[in-house]
Amino acid sequence: EEIIMKQKYEYKYVEVRTCGLASDDYKKIIDDHAKEGFRFVTTINKTKIGIGYNPKIDLVFERECEQ
């Protein structure tokens, strides 16, 4: 007997700049993905402190896979 499990969710990671003139509009990004059926899950801090400091996060989205 073989059990085949299909992935129930797909995930999408969107990098967002969080500081300065080039910062991204995270609220618009979340709204746009919601229109595509994605649900906002969490953020991942990708900021590295030091030379070339450039604060960034990943917004993580999920939606159910189509069967």
Side-chain angles (χ1 to χ4, degrees):
E1 183 175 325
E2 184 178 335
I3 299 174
I4 299 174
M5 296 186 69
K6 294 183 180 180
Q7 186 172 334
K8 187 168 181 170
Y9 295 97
E10 66 175 303
Y11 293 89
K12 186 172 182 182
Y13 304 86
V14 179
E15 187 174 271
V16 176
R17 294 171 303 236
T18 60
C19 186
L21 295 175
S23 62
D24 296 311
D25 184 355
Y26 66 90
K27 291 178 183 177
K28 182 177 182 337
I29 294 169
I30 292 171
D31 288 343
D32 289 347
H33 282 78
K35 291 174 188 172
E36 296 176 19
F38 282 95
R39 181 178 74 92
F40 172 70
V41 178
T42 193
T43 61
I44 300 171
N45 185 353
K46 296 177 67 179
T47 301
K48 294 180 179 160
I49 305 298
I51 297 172
Y53 175 73
N54 189 7
K56 294 185 227 173
I57 59 172
D58 270 354
L59 301 178
V60 182
F61 298 91
E62 74 176 4
R63 71 176 169 190
E64 287 193 44
C65 293
E66 295 181 17
Q67 303 300 324

